[in-house]
Amino acid sequence: MPSYRAPRGTRDLLPAERPAWARLERVASDIAARYGYRELETPLFELSDVFERGVGETTDIVEKELFRIAPRSEDREAWALRPEATAGIVRAYVQHGMRTWPQPVRLSLIGPMFRYDRPQAGRYRQFWQWDVEAIGDPGPAVDAELVELGLRFYREAGVADVDVLLNSIGDPGCRPAYLAALTAHYRARVDDLPERERRRLETNPLRLLDSKDPDMAAVNLDAPRITDHLCAACDEHFAAVKAHLAAMGVGYRVEPGLVRGLDYYTRTAFEYYRRGAEGQQQALGGGGRYDGLVELLGGRPTPGIGFALGLDRVVLALAETGPAAVAEPVPIAVVCGADPAGTAERLRIATLLRAEGLAVRAELGHRKLGRQLEAAVRDGARYAVILGDGLPSGEVGLRDLRAASQKAVALDDLAALLRRKAGSPSTSGRT
Ligand code: HAM
């Protein structure tokens, strides 16, 4: 027989793990609501063109990591799984005429993204992002609002010591002159460049700045800095972003080598790292301004800015240092009975209790009562409701599984009694 496994770079989130994710989703949704960012969903796949134009054809994400969907013969359209959310959200902004909505349109999306990355700890082929976008505001105040919003998520999720790295990567006005200076710098040292970086020098020289290749460290040490080449408008914008962050008391570090791996960025760029973990290329999240993207995807010129936080990396960070694991919900009671023919009655009573809003499991098998009670304890249930057992009709046994005590209860009173017990703190949650 074949032995099947989840595809490389993907994971099953088992029931014991899922509550930690649900908690992060609640923290994100709650913050989004407080800051006025409205949730939306976009498809998990789009026309490949949306990503090729949006993210950029020469980026790693498109060139090497895009999960392209093999076209069926009747389809003339080429699709790909989304490697990130921004391009799809901007496509939706244009498609639904969101420029007629009050600007900026503040949007939030939580969901899986797909990149054909080399899997390792914290790097998966299917991973989850919380993506937040503000479209239609040229900044600089909204830039600072977003940087702080991301930090708030980490704080409320329980990840301590997150640093913000900040940069400005200019705009189409000032970047070409910077790229020319950067290219000249690398050309003068072409013999020191690894083969792969030599090729990228011709297609996307900015990417050499944050190359993961250790041989690049020396070449990058004295590379020209974008922050020394900003035009007056970009420089002023950057200064204003920093002033807004300072006014909010948000600390940050300017990192001139931070260029991001997607082509749509202009001006503000930022990433979040766990303190001391910057060198590992494992950003907890990142984002920036993309003032040309709406136009690139067929809309009118519209500024935008956003970020995405990698939830897998947050879960990993929490497992190391964060609050205790999130408890899985447990039933308050399991409906049991010694009569092998009693499954219909057990199911009927469990259904009544569930209709009253209680979490209840019914024992639907034919095992002995002792085994049923053992299983109820394993489930983490506080009570067993025992049918039959010589009690008059209209009554059931209510066994406290921790105290190992039992009393008879009128069936009519059972739901109210269990609801009262369910409200007490000792009955909720299994860790
Ligand atoms: P990104 O930097 O490509 O930006 O991804 C954001 C975050 O997603 C990363 O910092 C990381 O935490 C997580 N991430 C990326 N790839 C993986 C992976 N293979 N496995 C696990 N986690 C991963 C974007 O995606 C932009 N769309 C962000 C943005 C929104 N910019 C403007 N608006």
Side-chain angles (χ1 to χ4, degrees):
M1 281 296 282
S3 83
Y4 296 113
R5 303 183 67 81
R8 199 163 117 76
T10 71
R11 291 167 306 153
D12 301 309
L13 300 179
L14 298 179
E17 298 164 280
R18 187 66 183 87
W21 292 76
R23 177 180 156 271
L24 291 184
E25 287 164 16
R26 281 195 301 276
V27 172
S29 291
D30 180 60
I31 294 177
R34 257 186 281 155
Y35 283 69
Y37 287 75
R38 301 162 70 197
E39 291 188 39
L40 86 165
E41 298 281 348
T42 66
L44 299 193
F45 61 95
E46 298 268 354
L47 284 180
S48 314
D49 209 38
V50 169
F51 306 122
E52 284 157 3
R53 289 179 75 85
V55 175
E57 263 167 316
T58 61
T59 57
D60 282 357
I61 293 177
V62 166
E63 219 173 38
K64 298 195 213 124
E65 297 169 5
L66 205 57
F67 271 98
R68 294 177 188 277
I69 299 174
R72 300 164 75 100
S73 53
E74 68 270 24
D75 289 327
R76 263 170 291 139
E77 293 173 326
W79 294 309
L81 297 182
R82 64 182 184 193
E84 57 104 53
T86 313
I89 291 175
V90 168
R91 191 267 312 137
Y93 177 93
V94 175
Q95 177 179 340
H96 301 286
M98 292 188 207
R99 67 181 177 80
T100 63
W101 300 9
Q103 303 292 299
V105 178
R106 291 184 154 90
L107 300 168
S108 158
L109 179 151
I110 302 174
M113 308 294 154
F114 305 87
R115 294 185 193 176
Y116 197 79
D117 238 340
R118 182 141 24 97
Q120 50 178 280
R123 192 175 294 282
Y124 307 102
R125 289 181 172 172
Q126 177 175 344
F127 58 96
W128 271 259
Q129 282 186 346
W130 177 34
D131 187 278
V132 179
E133 311 287 353
I135 308 177
D137 186 333
V142 73
D143 304 37
E145 175 183 76
L146 277 164
V147 169
E148 191 276 335
L149 197 168
L151 276 177
R152 180 155 311 277
F153 172 82
Y154 295 120
R155 190 171 322 131
E156 295 190 10
V159 188
D161 294 340
V162 174
D163 285 338
V164 179
L165 271 48
L166 182 71
N167 197 20
S168 172
I169 55 170
D171 68 6
C174 52
R175 206 178 312 149
Y178 171 68
L179 289 181
L182 191 63
T183 307
H185 169 82
Y186 288 127
R187 287 221 176 105
R189 292 157 184 79
V190 74
D191 293 340
D192 299 332
L193 298 183
E195 173 57 36
R196 180 178 131 87
E197 306 300 348
R198 238 177 264 179
R199 198 174 54 82
R200 289 216 291 193
L201 173 57
E202 304 311 322
T203 55
N204 203 343
L206 212 52
R207 299 292 303 153
L208 272 64
L209 271 183
D210 73 346
S211 166
K212 291 156 197 152
D213 197 312
D215 293 344
M216 289 299 290
V219 189
N220 277 336
L221 211 56
D222 58 346
R225 295 175 160 222
I226 179 94
T227 38
D228 298 330
H229 288 74
L230 296 176
C231 60
C234 285
D235 202 33
E236 200 180 305
H237 185 274
F238 193 34
V241 172
K242 291 187 279 189
H244 281 82
L245 287 171
M248 283 191 291
V250 173
Y252 59 86
R253 199 172 84 223
V254 173
E255 174 50 66
L258 191 154
V259 293
R260 310 276 300 129
L262 303 89
D263 278 357
Y264 50 61
Y265 290 114
T266 52
R267 296 190 168 176
T268 310
F270 55 99
E271 284 180 340
Y272 301 99
Y273 283 88
R274 288 176 70 195
R275 192 155 305 149
E278 293 91 342
Q280 296 165 19
Q281 301 290 338
Q282 289 268 18
L284 284 175
R289 182 161 278 290
Y290 46 82
D291 292 344
L293 184 57
V294 176
E295 195 177 2
L296 205 61
L297 293 181
R300 302 216 182 144
T302 309
I305 180 164
F307 66 69
L309 311 185
L311 297 185
D312 304 72
R313 293 183 186 174
V314 172
V315 169
L316 280 176
L318 287 175
E320 281 176 35
T321 60
V326 182
E328 246 184 279
V330 295
I332 176 78
V334 177
V335 184
C336 305
D339 179 4
T343 50
E345 184 59 4
R346 283 178 235 155
L347 195 51
R348 187 183 75 82
I349 290 176
T351 306
L352 286 175
L353 296 172
R354 290 162 178 165
E356 295 285 334
L358 290 158
V360 171
R361 181 172 73 74
E363 179 65 43
L364 301 179
H366 298 299
R367 51 189 165 180
K368 295 226 157 49
L369 185 60
R371 285 284 155 81
Q372 296 182 22
L373 295 176
E374 281 166 25
V377 170
R378 267 203 308 277
D379 274 2
R382 180 74 201 271
Y383 296 97
V385 173
I386 302 175
L387 308 190
D389 223 16
L391 289 165
S393 84
E395 283 192 14
V396 296
L398 184 64
R399 186 177 181 82
D400 182 325
L401 292 167
R402 287 185 213 161
S405 61
Q406 187 166 333
K407 61 179 178 182
V409 173
L411 191 50
D412 289 345
D413 300 334
L414 184 61
L417 186 70
L418 286 176
R419 242 202 323 270
R420 263 200 316 278
K421 303 283 189 192
S424 78
S426 62
T427 48
S428 52
R430 147 171 73 188
T431 50

